[in-house]
Amino acid sequence: PQSLLQIQPQELVNQLESTGPIAEAVVSRQVFPPSLTIEVRERKPVAIAPSPFDNEPGFLDAQGIWMPQSSYTQIKEKLDLPKLRVLGFQEELRSHWQTLYPLIQRSVVKITVVDWHNPNNLVLVTELGKVHCGGTDAFLNEQLRVLTKMRELPNQIAITEIEYIDLTNPQYPTIQLVRDPKSPSGGATFSSSEIAQRL
């Protein structure tokens, strides 16, 4: 307990906004009758993601702001956990996430995991299997458009036979099949023309 005159609204705003789940805070002070009003706008978790620093469990919002899971401990029974998982997220990837997340939301093919462990090769885990996208955002929209065209792929090739789909160059997609240890050449690769014939 302290006098309202001793409370600095802006300091309180800074404290609140420095905590993960608070996106914006407004503090208003009234001397008579004495009152302090605090309004907050929360960040909505859209993906489960371990901390980029120490692997502490947490969440990402749509802007790429990381929030510790401990911030939601008291409301975890009411919190609808996101289905999407992000691995290998780092602060410098925030702008990439801001580009990628809206595309994931609109994707016809379900995406469950975003793997950034290799900064030179973004890997998406989808209902069609793993998809290699390379290390640039330049083709993301086109890559997901091509992936949508491939959604009937399970009718032609068993998902368990696909090691990964390579969309690094979306104009020439390829499919790497699971390697056969009995085969000296390993797994087969379908070229873009062969994929077009199958689809």
Side-chain angles (χ1 to χ4, degrees):
Q2 56 183 299
S3 167
L4 280 177
L5 296 177
Q6 292 178 305
I7 294 176
Q8 299 299 318
Q10 189 55 50
E11 287 184 9
L12 192 51
V13 166
N14 295 340
Q15 284 183 358
L16 289 168
E17 292 183 351
S18 67
T19 63
I22 305 300
E24 183 180 9
V26 177
V27 176
S28 55
R29 178 179 56 184
Q30 183 173 306
V31 178
F32 187 83
S35 67
L36 189 70
T37 303
I38 301 175
E39 299 176 47
V40 296
R41 180 170 59 85
E42 296 177 280
R43 298 186 186 279
K44 180 184 178 182
V46 298
I48 297 172
S51 165
F53 306 109
D54 56 11
N55 267 351
E56 178 188 354
F59 306 101
L60 281 181
D61 76 348
Q63 298 304 311
I65 303 298
W66 185 83
M67 302 162 284
Q69 182 177 304
S70 57
S71 300
Y72 294 89
T73 301
Q74 295 181 0
I75 58 172
K76 64 182 178 181
E77 294 181 1
K78 300 179 183 178
L79 184 65
D80 187 13
L81 292 178
K83 302 295 188 294
L84 182 65
R85 293 174 59 220
V86 178
L87 307 176
F89 181 80
Q90 300 292 329
E91 290 292 327
E92 57 267 26
L93 294 170
R94 183 176 297 171
S95 62
H96 299 279
W97 170 251
Q98 292 171 358
T99 299
L100 176 61
Y101 180 66
L103 297 177
I104 290 177
Q105 285 184 299
R106 296 195 297 267
S107 176
V108 174
V109 176
K110 185 179 180 182
I111 299 170
T112 56
V113 178
V114 175
D115 189 341
W116 257 307
H117 278 121
N118 180 354
N120 297 316
N121 184 27
L122 167 66
V123 177
L124 304 177
V125 178
T126 76
E127 60 183 292
L128 301 179
K130 290 185 178 181
V131 178
H132 290 195
C133 298
T136 175
D137 290 346
F139 304 120
L140 275 175
N141 195 40
E142 179 67 11
Q143 286 164 332
L144 292 183
R145 189 183 67 80
V146 172
L147 192 63
T148 297
K149 289 184 176 181
M150 301 174 76
R151 64 185 182 278
E152 300 299 327
L153 193 62
N155 295 332
Q156 304 293 328
I157 309 171
I159 296 299
T160 53
E161 294 181 16
I162 299 175
E163 185 172 338
Y164 62 86
I165 299 170
D166 190 342
L167 294 181
T168 305
N169 183 344
Q171 292 185 347
Y172 301 99
T174 60
I175 298 174
Q176 175 67 50
L177 297 184
V178 174
R179 302 182 184 281
D180 184 353
K182 297 179 182 178
S183 171
S185 59
T189 301
F190 287 148
S191 67
S192 56
S193 60
E194 291 173 316
I195 294 171
Q197 290 175 1
R198 284 176 172 265
L199 299 179

